[in-house]
Amino acid sequence: MVESEQRRKRKLRASSAKTLYHSAAQLFSLRSLVLCLSFFVFLLFLSSDRSLSAVSTASFRPVLSASTTLSLLSSSASHSVLDTLHRRRPLSSAPRVEGRVLFPDHVLLLVSGGVGRRGEDLECVYRALASNGSDRRAEAAMSVDVYSEHRSIVRCPLPPANFSAAGVDLRRRGGGPADGGKRARSNRTAAAVRAWDRVVYEAELDGETAVVFVKGLNLRPHRRSNPAQFSCHFGRGSRDKDETFVLTTKAVSAAQEVIRCPLPQSIRSNPIKAQGVRVTIGLPSNLHTRGRSSVHVPMPSVARIYSSNGNGEEAGRKKTTKKHELCACTMVWNQAASLREWIMYHAWLGIERWFIYDNNSDDAIKEVIEELDSQNYNVSRQSWPWIKTQEAGFSHCVLRAREECNWVGFFDVDEFFYFPFPSNPRRGLGIPGKDTLRAMVANFSSSSSIIAEIRTVCHSFGPSGLTSPPPRGVMVGYTCRLQHPERHKSIVRPDALDPTLLNEVHHFRLKEGFRYLNVPESSAVINHYKYQVWETFRTKFFRRVATYVADWQEDQNKGSKDRAPGLGTEAIEPPDWRLQFCEVWDTGLRDFVLASFAHPATSAMLPWERSSSPSR
């Protein structure tokens, strides 16, 4: 009995131990499974973050294949993808270097958040070329500028010897963070730097499409190109090095530096979540396939999409409920001394709104524009740091001006409209004078009009015997010109332009069904003060703004109308420059200006001569 009872107890203990072992084993298996899954998710997170940071500066690798990406576009999954991207990197006001572009003479930093408009206390920090990169060198920033509502520009000198432009960062002088208090998040950004000759540099929303501006495509000038060879890739990276493009659409138009693509459905459905989304252009991996390749490789990009309600100093401006009849757009470099005369005179002729694209000026142009705007001339300045992009800049301006303007004139600050004879009274223009230019274009503003571009010929004026800039302005000072006109400039209806936004600086391509009108020379001309005194003229040797015009230092296109006949590749004043380009003495505009703006007998000052002019 005793033995039997003992055997029964031993069996019970063994059974309990076995049950306990199985329970523990099951618990251990479940716990191991949870730990394994957690570890796998952690590894996945790390690998995804590292994979984003491993993108080289020479090429991008999209996270999804082309077929996977296109499937996203055709399903509601794209909405969740965009939601995820939006959550990964919310917009922030803290400064952060999110793009670096290497130019021939400086490094451009695109900085999100606010760094202020003064750059005296900002330093650019470079890393040594040594393998560990532990050494740093700081140089004072060249300038700071507002680029858009969400981003600023900091221009840095080229790196010192043995230091790299890759990963150049910002700090306050003395070692403080760039934001003056918070830790500068740009210290965690990637070392990527984009070469200026191959980069996507800007993007704009235009209805349900994205208009993307890109260098390095080398498309034929002044021609439409086959859009089938391009695609647009959309996404958001949490750092500058993240080139995560997860949504793709096919290009619908291409010309020169401008590619247009439909927006992905997720962005069209919720444009607010598109704020800050990075965009780039995809090229066929095999360029010899001529667009038949289904695999597109994204180009390097610093472009992000933001709403089109104003860039830079335009942000926050009051929007008019009624369109202006006539606006003007121009691109300038160091033209502060000429801007007042150009704007005040043409405002008197009827131009109501001004879009000034500032192409890296380092003179007092900001102060001049602010003063003019304070005097109700309705002037805005758009910082445009992209060199040799005048055609693309004008395409960009069309998108900005279209909502505000019925007509937009594209001409330079040394070009002045002049109406030499009384106009036909039956056309309602009357004697040339105040608002004449606006009245001229208003005649073709009806919805039934097929005229969408008004072209006016240009007369080129020479130094007129002068050796120093005329103190009363170019219209009064230069009075001798070439006999025959050269080229023309245009005023266009921005809603009637070809979707490519293709232009040759002095005119645009129009939509089918619209045509241009040549204004008779007897009714209107443009006085182009092209060949001014040498002190002013020689600045043109610095760099030409047009994309397809060779810089004058280059030994190319010496016979081009863009160049002055007989000039070489160096800014050396030719003999008797003051007497050149003088075939016809033409004092018409001078006499008109003196009669309309100042009485010659009293030698009254012209409005643009005054240091502070009254409001219009």
Side-chain angles (χ1 to χ4, degrees):
M1 291 291 296
V2 174
E3 290 182 5
S4 177
E5 183 64 22
Q6 289 177 346
R7 283 197 300 272
R8 187 177 67 81
K9 289 181 179 181
R10 283 198 299 270
K11 287 181 180 180
L12 286 174
R13 285 197 298 269
S15 177
S16 299
K18 188 175 182 180
T19 300
L20 182 62
Y21 172 80
H22 283 298
S23 299
Q26 290 176 357
L27 181 61
F28 178 79
S29 299
L30 182 60
R31 183 179 181 184
S32 299
L33 180 61
V34 172
L35 289 174
C36 286
L37 287 175
S38 301
F39 184 68
F40 175 77
V41 171
F42 177 71
L43 286 180
L44 182 63
F45 173 79
L46 287 181
S47 65
S48 64
D49 186 66
R50 291 176 182 175
S51 68
L52 296 175
S53 63
V55 180
S56 70
T57 61
S59 63
F60 294 173
R61 295 179 182 176
V63 173
L64 302 181
S65 66
S67 59
T68 306
T69 302
L70 291 175
S71 67
L72 282 170
L73 294 175
S74 60
S75 69
S76 60
S78 60
H79 292 273
S80 61
V81 170
L82 192 64
D83 289 342
T84 302
L85 295 175
H86 188 68
R87 287 194 297 268
R88 284 189 59 188
R89 185 184 178 275
L91 297 175
S92 172
S93 60
R96 154 203 178 91
V97 178
E98 63 176 32
R100 302 171 177 86
V101 182
L102 181 62
F103 285 92
D105 52 4
H106 69 280
V107 182
L108 179 77
L109 305 185
L110 288 164
V111 183
S112 65
V115 294
R117 297 183 62 177
R118 299 181 60 188
E120 292 87 348
D121 61 343
L122 276 182
E123 291 183 328
C124 305
V125 182
Y126 308 88
R127 294 178 178 143
L129 291 173
S131 58
N132 57 13
S134 57
D135 293 337
R136 299 285 191 273
R137 174 73 67 84
E139 299 282 345
M142 297 166 61
S143 64
V144 172
D145 206 349
V146 176
Y147 180 58
S148 72
E149 184 180 359
H150 306 279
R151 296 195 288 180
S152 298
I153 288 172
V154 179
R155 295 178 179 89
C156 294
L158 294 177
N162 300 322
F163 286 81
S164 172
V168 60
D169 218 327
L170 291 175
R171 73 180 186 190
R172 296 291 180 190
R173 189 169 297 167
D179 61 353
K182 301 177 183 178
R183 177 176 176 79
R185 293 186 297 158
S186 57
N187 292 330
R188 304 199 303 269
T189 58
V193 61
R194 311 306 183 196
W196 166 238
D197 58 357
R198 189 175 183 274
V199 65
V200 177
Y201 58 91
E202 177 62 296
E204 279 289 314
L205 289 178
D206 183 23
E208 295 189 343
T209 65
V211 180
V212 187
F213 300 81
V214 54
K215 273 286 184 185
L217 297 181
N218 298 321
L219 302 181
R220 293 190 305 166
H222 319 318
R223 298 286 188 276
R224 292 191 186 100
S225 298
N226 178 16
Q229 58 187 316
F230 305 111
S231 57
C232 289
H233 299 246
F234 303 84
R236 189 195 300 277
S238 61
R239 303 177 185 176
D240 175 51
K241 59 188 175 182
D242 293 353
E243 302 300 346
T244 311
F245 299 105
V246 297
L247 300 173
T248 301
T249 61
K250 295 179 180 180
V252 294
S253 72
Q256 299 184 157
E257 293 185 0
V258 180
I259 308 295
R260 184 187 293 269
C261 294
L263 292 171
Q265 180 60 45
S266 55
I267 297 180
R268 294 201 303 268
S269 301
N270 197 344
I272 294 178
K273 289 188 176 181
Q275 296 295 298
V277 167
R278 191 187 294 272
V279 61
T280 191
I281 297 298
L283 303 178
S285 56
N286 183 355
L287 296 180
H288 298 290
T289 59
R290 295 185 179 180
R292 292 191 297 270
S293 173
S294 60
V295 179
H296 280 197
V297 179
M299 291 183 66
S301 175
V302 294
R304 293 184 182 273
I305 293 178
Y306 293 100
S307 62
S308 57
N309 60 351
N311 256 6
E313 295 167 18
E314 288 189 52
R317 294 177 63 90
K318 293 182 179 180
K319 298 297 181 181
T320 178
T321 56
K322 180 182 178 181
K323 279 191 175 183
H324 301 296
E325 188 65 49
L326 179 58
C327 305
C329 179
T330 194
M331 188 172 291
V332 299
W333 175 73
N334 284 359
Q335 295 285 347
S338 306
L339 202 60
R340 290 174 55 83
E341 179 184 10
W342 186 70
I343 287 181
M344 287 182 173
Y345 171 74
H346 286 101
W348 189 78
L349 288 179
I351 294 180
E352 305 160 282
R353 174 78 166 91
W354 306 85
F355 298 86
I356 310 299
Y357 276 56
D358 183 0
N359 194 215
N360 300 301
S361 297
D362 54 12
D363 58 1
I365 195 166
K366 294 181 186 178
E367 291 75 10
V368 172
I369 290 176
E370 288 172 356
E371 179 187 2
L372 287 167
D373 194 47
S374 70
Q375 297 167 8
N376 300 320
Y377 282 95
N378 203 5
V379 189
S380 66
R381 171 181 169 272
Q382 170 63 57
S383 177
W384 190 255
W386 319 116
I387 61 175
K388 294 191 73 65
T389 59
Q390 188 176 22
E391 296 90 337
F394 282 178
S395 298
H396 187 272
C397 188
V398 164
L399 298 174
R400 287 303 168 97
R402 189 169 53 194
E403 293 184 359
E404 297 187 49
C405 312
N406 290 328
W407 293 86
V408 184
F410 290 87
F411 56 110
D412 299 329
V413 296
D414 59 356
E415 296 169 340
F416 290 75
F417 278 85
Y418 171 47
F419 298 86
F421 299 104
S423 303
N424 187 343
R426 290 179 297 178
R427 300 296 297 272
L429 301 183
I431 298 175
K434 186 171 175 58
D435 295 332
T436 298
L437 188 58
R438 183 167 74 236
M440 182 181 75
V441 301
N443 279 308
F444 306 100
S445 292
S446 67
S447 59
S448 60
S449 175
I450 62 172
I451 301 300
E453 180 177 24
I454 299 173
R455 297 181 177 181
T456 309
V457 299
C458 302
H459 281 297
S460 297
F461 281 69
S464 306
L466 302 179
T467 57
S468 59
R472 309 200 73 185
V474 297
M475 291 185 290
V476 173
Y478 298 114
T479 55
C480 198
R481 61 171 173 83
L482 296 176
Q483 182 173 0
H484 300 292
E486 294 181 332
R487 294 183 171 175
H488 63 266
K489 289 300 170 76
S490 296
I491 301 175
V492 301
R493 282 175 50 185
D495 61 343
L497 301 184
D498 188 84
T500 60
L501 304 180
L502 180 62
N503 68 85
E504 301 179 36
V505 176
H506 51 286
H507 69 262
F508 280 78
R509 184 182 293 271
L510 305 177
K511 290 179 180 177
E512 295 294 332
F514 292 93
R515 63 181 181 88
Y516 63 85
L517 171 72
N518 286 321
V519 177
E521 188 177 340
S522 60
S523 298
V525 295
I526 289 177
N527 281 11
H528 183 188
Y529 300 103
K530 180 177 181 179
Y531 308 110
Q532 300 187 28
V533 296
W534 184 257
E535 176 187 337
T536 302
F537 182 83
R538 66 183 177 183
T539 60
K540 295 188 176 184
F541 278 86
F542 174 70
R543 183 183 292 127
R544 309 303 289 146
V545 295
T547 307
Y548 303 101
V549 172
D551 289 343
W552 287 4
Q553 304 95 320
E554 300 177 9
D555 192 12
Q556 300 179 27
N557 303 329
K558 288 186 176 181
S560 169
K561 290 183 179 180
D562 176 71
R563 306 181 75 123
L567 287 184
T569 58
E570 298 181 7
I572 300 175
E573 182 177 0
D576 298 326
W577 173 261
R578 67 185 183 88
L579 301 177
Q580 294 190 27
F581 316 106
C582 182
E583 296 175 350
V584 177
W585 288 97
D586 183 348
T587 62
L589 184 53
R590 181 199 67 181
D591 298 339
F592 176 75
V593 166
L594 292 176
S596 302
F597 294 90
H599 196 286
T602 61
S603 299
M605 295 183 69
L606 298 169
W608 42 89
E609 293 184 81
R610 303 166 189 163
S611 58
S612 181
S613 304
S615 301
R616 285 160 53 199

